[in-house]
Amino acid sequence: MGQAIKTPLLTPDLCRAARGLLDWTQEDLARHSEVSRSTIRDYEGSRHDVHRATEAQLRRALEDGGAVFTEVSGHGMGLCKKIDPADDPAG
């Protein structure tokens, strides 16, 4: 049996989408993740891949900022914003 292909924790498209959801610039993400803006720019522009550790730093910063990544059955990764309990009308 062949090895399973590992899905990235974060793709360039999801990284851009999460920044947009949080209203963050590349500079904001760089500051929160401690990853250089040039690395983020090149990754989001699909100019190069990033190491797993860097990918994890970016995702952790985005999640800490309120982005929620979730696997959507049959569709891949999805993205939404964490609801602040104070803002939840169902609360």
Side-chain angles (χ1 to χ4, degrees), residues 45-77:
S46 298
R47 287 187 270 292
H48 67 72
D49 290 330
V50 291
H51 295 284
R52 280 271 195 211
T54 303
E55 185 181 314
Q57 280 177 262
L58 293 171
R59 182 170 170 162
R60 188 172 26 255
L62 292 164
E63 288 174 336
D64 288 349
V68 177
F69 298 92
T70 185
E71 183 71 28
V72 179
S73 181
H75 298 283
M77 289 298 280

Side-chain angles (χ1 to χ4, degrees), residues 9-88:
L9 298 174
L10 186 69
T11 65
D13 290 340
L14 275 174
C15 190
R16 279 191 308 276
R19 279 194 314 99
L21 187 70
L22 299 175
D23 197 26
W24 282 7
T25 64
Q26 288 179 345
E27 191 61 43
D28 293 329
L29 180 54
R31 187 176 61 256
H32 288 284
S33 66
E34 298 183 356
V35 171
S36 74
R37 195 191 73 70
S38 64
T39 296
I40 294 167
R41 180 198 63 221
D42 289 348
Y43 177 60
E44 287 185 350
S46 298
R47 287 187 270 292
H48 67 72
D49 290 330
V50 291
H51 295 284
R52 280 271 195 211
T54 303
E55 185 181 314
Q57 280 177 262
L58 293 171
R59 182 170 170 162
R60 188 172 26 255
L62 292 164
E63 288 174 336
D64 288 349
V68 177
F69 298 92
T70 185
E71 183 71 28
V72 179
S73 181
H75 298 283
M77 289 298 280
L79 174 67
C80 62
K81 192 170 184 179
K82 192 181 305 179
I83 296 173
D84 183 342
D87 295 336
D88 186 1

